[in-house]
Amino acid sequence: MTSLEAARRLLAEFPVVDGHNDLPWALREQVSYDLAARDIAVRQDGHLHTDLPRLREGGVGAQYWSVYVRSDLPDPVPATLEQIDCVRQLIERHPRELRAALTAADLEAARREGRIASLMGAEGGHSIANSLGTLRGLYALGVRYMTLTHNDNVDWADSATDEPNVGGLSAFGREVVREMNRLGMLVDLSHVAATTMRDALDTTSAPVIFSHSSSRAVCDHPRNIPDDVLERLPANGGMAMVTFVPKFVLQAAVDWTAAADDNMRAHGFHHLDTTAEAMKVHRAFEEARPRPVATAATVADHLDHMREVAGVDHLGIGGDYDGTAFTPEGLDDVSGYPNLLAELLDRGWSRSDLAKLTWQNAVRVLGAAEDVARHLSETRGPSNATIGSLDG
C-alpha cells in the first residue's frame, strides 16, 4: 500500500476537521451570495478552492466555516449576520452532505452519518463591535469560535499585523475571553499579536485554538506562533491548526512578498492595490523574480517542529482555503489533504498520530470548552461589562 493510499484509508475513519475556510466570503465577493451561481454541489475549479466533490476527495469530515467580514466596514455586525445566513443556506441546500454542528457530540454524529459537520467561526473581534451582548448573540446563532483580531487591532486587543496599541489584551479584552469561556465559544488566537496570545493564555480557563497559524521558528512571520506560546498548549489543553498559506509557511515567500510590497510602494502604489496600473507593476516584478512555491513538505516541516514543541495532542489543520490567492503545490484545494498526510506518513508519523491531527484533537478541544462552560454557568452569570466601564 502506498502512503497516499494509507492516508486515504485513514481519512475514511478519521476525517479532517479543518479550522478555517473562507468560502462564505468568497461567495459574497464573487456572486453576492447567489448560491446557485456557485453551486458547490458541482466542481468549482477556477472559481473556488472548495466544493462538495473536492471536500469528499480530501477526506474532510468537519469544517469551521469562517464568517469573516472586513474590519474596515462601517458596521460589521449586519455583514457578519449575512455571513452566518450564507452558511445556514449552504446547509439547507445540501442536507445530505452537510450537517449543522454546535457541539463535539454533533461532530461525532455527523461522522457516523457520513455527512460533513458544519461549524462557524467569527474571524475578528470587530464583529462584536465592543459588545458582549453581540458576542452572546453570535454564540446563540451558532458561532463556536471567535478570532480576537484580524489584520487590524480592535479597541481591546492587538493584532499581529498592526502597531501595538493596548499591549496585548485590555481589561475589557480579558472580559471578552472570560465571557467566551462562560459561553463555550473557543478563543481563537490566530492573527493576534504574541502579547495578545500570552495575555489570553493567562486569562482563559478553557482550551484555546489557533484556527490557521503555523510555526514562527520555521517561518518568521508575525502571523505564526512563537515557540514559547506553543510550549503552553499542553497545560492549556488547546491546539494549533497549521495553515497552508505560502507567505506564512515558506520563508522565501515571506521575503519575496516583502520585496514585492516594497516595489509597489516605490512605484507609488499601496501594496494591496489591484488597479490595472498597479497590477502592471506587480506583474513586471513577478516576471523578473518568480514567486517561490511552497509544497506539502513545507507544511509538514511546520508540523514536525510544532509536534516537537507542543506535542501531537495539540495539533490540527486549518488550511485557509478561499481566503488566500495562492496555495502550496499538492495542497491546491480542499482535495489535497491526503497529500499532506502521505508526506507525514513518509516522515514516520503513526496512524494514531494522524488520527489526532485530523479528527480527535479538534473534537476533544471543543468538548473541553463545553465542559468549562457548564462549570462556569453554575458560578458566573452573563457579563454586563462595557469597554467604557473597564477601559475608559
Side-chain angles (χ1 to χ4, degrees):
M1 183 188 304
T2 67
S3 297
L4 187 58
E5 289 168 341
R8 289 180 173 141
R9 180 171 293 186
L10 180 136
L11 287 168
E13 185 175 356
F14 297 105
V16 170
V17 180
D18 183 274
H20 194 88
N21 184 300
D22 278 301
L23 175 65
W25 184 258
L27 292 170
R28 171 190 167 115
E29 292 291 279
Q30 292 185 22
V31 293
S32 300
Y33 298 127
D34 182 352
L35 303 187
R38 287 284 184 273
D39 184 0
I40 64 167
V42 297
R43 296 182 69 96
Q44 294 294 329
D45 301 80
H47 299 295
L48 299 167
H49 295 142
T50 309
D51 51 53
L52 293 174
R54 285 182 288 172
L55 285 167
R56 291 301 193 185
E57 290 173 24
V60 176
Q63 180 66 66
Y64 278 96
W65 302 110
S66 175
V67 291
Y68 158 80
V69 299
R70 291 172 58 106
S71 58
D72 58 359
L73 293 180
D75 190 355
V77 177
T80 303
L81 297 179
E82 290 171 358
Q83 288 273 281
I84 292 170
D85 180 65
C86 176
V87 174
R88 288 183 160 185
Q89 287 191 52
L90 287 170
I91 295 168
E92 290 170 3
R93 284 176 64 91
H94 307 288
R96 294 184 178 179
E97 297 287 339
L98 303 178
R99 185 193 201 274
L102 302 175
T103 66
D106 290 340
L107 291 175
E108 292 291 7
R111 183 168 68 135
R112 288 192 299 271
E113 296 163 358
R115 291 193 284 173
I116 299 168
S118 291
L119 308 99
M120 289 184 282
E123 188 178 19
H126 57 281
S127 292
I128 66 169
N130 296 336
S131 165
L132 294 180
T134 301
L135 176 71
R136 289 188 285 271
L138 294 186
Y139 181 83
L141 290 171
V143 174
R144 287 301 178 266
Y145 76 64
M146 184 174 73
T147 321
L148 299 185
T149 73
H150 190 243
N151 289 336
D152 302 316
N153 296 336
V154 294
D155 292 333
W156 42 270
D158 286 350
S159 169
T161 48
D162 202 348
E163 294 299 317
N165 181 34
V166 298
L169 285 177
S170 72
F172 182 76
R174 290 189 288 275
E175 190 68 3
V176 170
V177 169
R178 286 189 284 266
E179 188 66 2
M180 292 173 72
N181 291 167
R182 189 190 68 84
L183 291 168
M185 183 185 288
L186 291 165
V187 176
D188 178 20
L189 300 180
S190 286
H191 278 287
V192 306
T195 50
T196 307
M197 297 175 194
R198 297 176 187 119
D199 282 355
L201 284 164
D202 289 343
T203 304
T204 187
S205 54
V208 303
I209 66 167
F210 292 81
S211 66
H212 57 308
S213 294
S214 297
S215 164
R216 192 174 298 187
V218 176
C219 182
D220 188 14
H221 191 284
R223 272 282 283 105
N224 288 334
I225 314 167
D227 276 1
D228 72 283
V229 174
L230 286 170
E231 288 169 355
R232 296 183 63 175
L233 288 180
N236 167 261
M239 65 185 299
M241 307 177 88
V242 69
T243 195
F244 299 168
V245 180
K247 66 179 180 180
F248 301 156
V249 299
L250 182 64
Q251 191 62 52
V254 174
D255 300 338
W256 185 94
T257 300
D261 291 349
D262 287 344
N263 180 67
M264 292 287 280
R265 286 187 283 267
H267 284 82
F269 298 105
H270 188 276
H271 69 280
L272 296 178
D273 193 336
T274 57
T275 60
E277 295 82 3
M279 292 310 296
K280 182 178 180 180
V281 169
H282 184 74
R283 283 192 293 271
F285 179 86
E286 190 164 359
E287 288 175 6
R289 294 180 57 179
R291 182 184 300 272
V293 177
T295 65
T298 309
V299 178
D301 290 343
H302 284 263
L303 284 168
D304 278 342
H305 179 79
M306 294 161 76
R307 179 184 176 182
E308 290 178 5
V309 177
V312 73
D313 293 327
H314 303 283
L315 301 181
I317 298 171
D320 203 10
Y321 285 116
D322 286 306
T324 178
F326 301 97
T327 55
E329 283 187 358
L331 301 172
D332 306 85
D333 55 46
V334 295
S335 69
Y337 299 99
N339 295 325
L340 175 59
L341 267 60
E343 176 70 25
L344 294 172
L345 284 168
D346 287 342
R347 294 178 181 217
W349 285 53
S350 70
R351 190 174 187 279
S352 62
D353 292 337
L354 294 180
K356 292 177 179 181
L357 176 73
T358 59
W359 182 263
Q360 293 172 340
N361 291 343
V363 175
R364 173 187 56 79
V365 167
L366 182 58
E370 295 166 24
D371 291 341
V372 170
R374 278 190 289 270
H375 173 72
L376 289 177
S377 67
E378 300 173 357
T379 59
R380 174 183 166 94
S383 174
N384 293 314
T386 66
I387 193 166
S389 67
L390 293 180
D391 293 344

